[in-house]
Amino acid sequence: MYIKKILLFVVIAGLVGGGLFAYKVYNAIFAPNTSFNNKEAFVYIASNSTFEDVKDALNPLLNNLETFEQIADRKGYTSNIRGGKYAIKKGMNNNEIINTLRSRNLPIKVAFNNQERLHDLAGRIANQIEADSLSLLNAFQDDNFLSTNGFNDDTKLAMYLPNSYEFFWNTSAEKFRDRMLTEYKKFWNGSRIEKANTLNLTPNEVTALASIVHKETAKVDERPRVAGLYLNRVRKKMFLQADPTVIYAIKKHTGNYDTVIKRVLYKDLEIDSPYNTYKRTGIPPGPITMPDISAIDGVLNAEKHDYLYMVADVENFGYHKFAKSLAQHNQNKVQYIRWINQQNISR
């Protein structure tokens, strides 16, 4: 009888212990383990992260880091860390959190606008993905990559089309650059290539001219007209005489791209630079900024007209007055000169 009681006690104790153990295991796996109040929180895991790095990133978000570590070890996650951006939802359990970190890397939107230099682009992109600005710049300026894909030091800016793109946060510098090349090739489809050929221009020349058009007018609806004017000058072998090219030449010569020049002076027109379109005919050797797609398409679909001159329209700011003759242009310019002198803009 005594032995039976002992056996019964052992059985009951075993059942209770097993139940407690099962409950503890169940709790560790399936009990909610988040400590934040928002619907979700985002965690960024670098490509070379250790499990300690992951724990540091998750520590503010979890109720119990110890149970997370136990389940992560059982599921083999501690030796299989994957970089990326992940969404941890309120109320997730350890099992769900680990499954998320293993396979649900979220894409992000990466956007950039009109940059004058690849240095500026590298800084802009480094604020949005894991790759740092130096690795991005090195990838952008890789001589072998440039020559293999038909670019050089002057035209390398043309490969990057300002827009919004979808990437994974942990994209490397080389993969970002290669994706931009893919987007460039997609953009320059058969239709656009054919239009460029009709203009007797290469895609790089179109982009270089578009960068001038972009700088000359922010009005998208005016860009085809401005493009048509410059194409008329190219065909007649006239100087383009575009002030933005002179400003770019000054910046490039001084190395100070933060220089603000509101008014181009006569002395500026004497700068010796292939980008000075007051001294050199034809299209400059490369873009002076990353032009919008609307500016590139403005060149490819340029308006057909006989205009050769333009000046800012002070009665309709943002737009220009166009002229077919120098005499008409000089008349249009009088009003602009009077206005700019009234603004006391000396530089």
Side-chain angles (χ1 to χ4, degrees):
M1 189 68 179
Y2 181 71
I3 293 175
K4 285 183 178 180
K5 288 182 178 180
I6 292 176
L7 289 174
L8 182 61
F9 176 78
V10 170
V11 170
I12 292 172
L15 289 173
V16 172
L20 289 173
F21 177 76
Y23 176 76
K24 185 177 180 181
V25 171
Y26 179 89
N27 235 22
I29 299 175
F30 298 111
N33 191 26
T34 57
S35 62
F36 51 87
N37 294 320
N38 295 334
K39 289 183 178 180
E40 60 183 4
F42 296 101
V43 60
Y44 294 84
I45 308 297
S47 297
N48 59 350
S49 290
T50 65
F51 186 62
E52 290 300 316
D53 297 324
V54 174
K55 287 198 298 181
D56 288 342
L58 288 175
N59 191 33
L61 307 177
L62 303 184
N63 280 322
N64 192 324
L65 194 62
E66 183 181 347
T67 59
F68 169 79
E69 185 173 1
Q70 292 170 356
I71 304 306
D73 186 54
R74 285 176 179 271
K75 290 174 72 73
Y77 175 72
T78 55
S79 58
N80 189 24
I81 311 299
R82 297 177 182 178
K85 175 187 177 183
Y86 301 95
I88 309 300
K89 299 184 183 299
K90 182 181 180 181
M92 271 187 168
N93 57 49
N94 287 324
N95 189 58
E96 292 169 328
I97 293 170
I98 293 162
N99 287 342
T100 294
L101 296 176
R102 291 173 75 169
S103 60
R104 296 171 195 166
N105 190 4
L106 295 175
I108 62 171
K109 289 290 184 183
V110 174
F112 59 92
N113 56 4
N114 322 96
Q115 308 295 315
E116 286 188 355
R117 299 183 303 158
L118 290 180
H119 292 72
D120 303 319
L121 177 64
R124 180 71 180 267
I125 301 305
N127 287 327
Q128 300 176 72
I129 65 174
E130 181 184 7
D132 63 77
S133 58
L134 181 59
S135 63
L136 284 162
L137 185 59
N138 287 338
F140 296 165
Q141 298 189 140
D142 180 78
D143 289 335
N144 184 57
F145 172 84
L146 292 173
S147 60
T148 298
N149 292 289
F151 297 98
N152 57 37
D153 192 56
D154 287 311
T155 62
K156 60 190 177 186
L157 205 64
M159 198 187 88
Y160 301 89
L161 299 167
N163 212 333
S164 177
Y165 302 92
E166 195 171 83
F167 281 91
F168 287 114
W169 173 79
N170 56 316
T171 299
S172 69
E174 290 76 16
K175 285 185 178 178
F176 175 83
R177 176 202 64 193
D178 294 347
R179 167 72 181 285
M180 289 296 94
L181 176 62
T182 299
E183 295 295 335
Y184 174 86
K185 289 179 178 179
K186 272 199 277 185
F187 176 80
W188 283 103
N189 54 29
S191 174
R192 287 191 172 97
I193 292 290
E194 185 178 348
K195 289 178 179 180
N197 290 338
T198 301
L199 297 173
N200 291 319
L201 299 177
T202 66
N204 282 335
E205 288 174 326
V206 170
T207 303
L209 185 57
S211 70
I212 299 174
V213 172
H214 175 95
K215 282 287 191 179
E216 285 285 17
T217 179
K219 302 296 184 181
V220 173
D221 60 327
E222 191 185 50
R223 284 174 173 169
R225 176 165 291 192
V226 173
L229 183 152
Y230 283 125
L231 286 170
N232 287 343
R233 282 180 163 258
V234 169
R235 294 185 189 105
K236 292 178 177 291
K237 301 189 184 307
M238 296 173 64
F239 294 114
L240 296 188
Q241 295 184 322
D243 287 357
T245 65
V246 177
I247 294 172
Y248 180 78
I250 293 171
K251 291 180 177 182
K252 190 174 177 66
H253 176 72
T254 61
N256 183 5
Y257 286 82
D258 294 324
T259 302
V260 176
I261 300 175
K262 295 182 179 179
R263 184 174 187 176
V264 173
L265 306 178
Y266 285 113
K267 66 175 183 178
D268 298 328
L269 306 183
E270 298 302 318
I271 187 169
D272 183 18
S273 167
Y275 288 90
N276 182 358
T277 55
Y278 281 82
K279 287 283 190 180
R280 307 284 182 93
T281 58
I283 298 170
I288 59 175
T289 191
M290 294 175 189
D292 282 348
I293 289 173
S294 65
I296 298 174
D297 283 340
V299 173
L300 294 174
N301 301 284
E303 188 178 307
K304 291 181 171 58
H305 53 61
D306 296 324
Y307 294 130
L308 293 170
Y309 305 92
M310 68 179 185
V311 67
D313 187 347
V314 297
E315 295 176 336
N316 191 12
F317 285 104
Y319 288 93
H320 294 79
K321 286 186 175 182
F322 295 84
K324 299 177 182 179
S325 68
L326 182 59
Q328 182 185 0
H329 172 64
N330 286 335
Q331 289 179 354
N332 292 338
K333 197 165 70 170
V334 169
Q335 193 174 22
Y336 171 71
I337 295 297
R338 184 186 304 122
W339 176 84
I340 201 170
N341 285 335
Q342 289 172 349
Q343 308 309 308
N344 292 320
I345 299 174
S346 61
R347 186 58 170 159

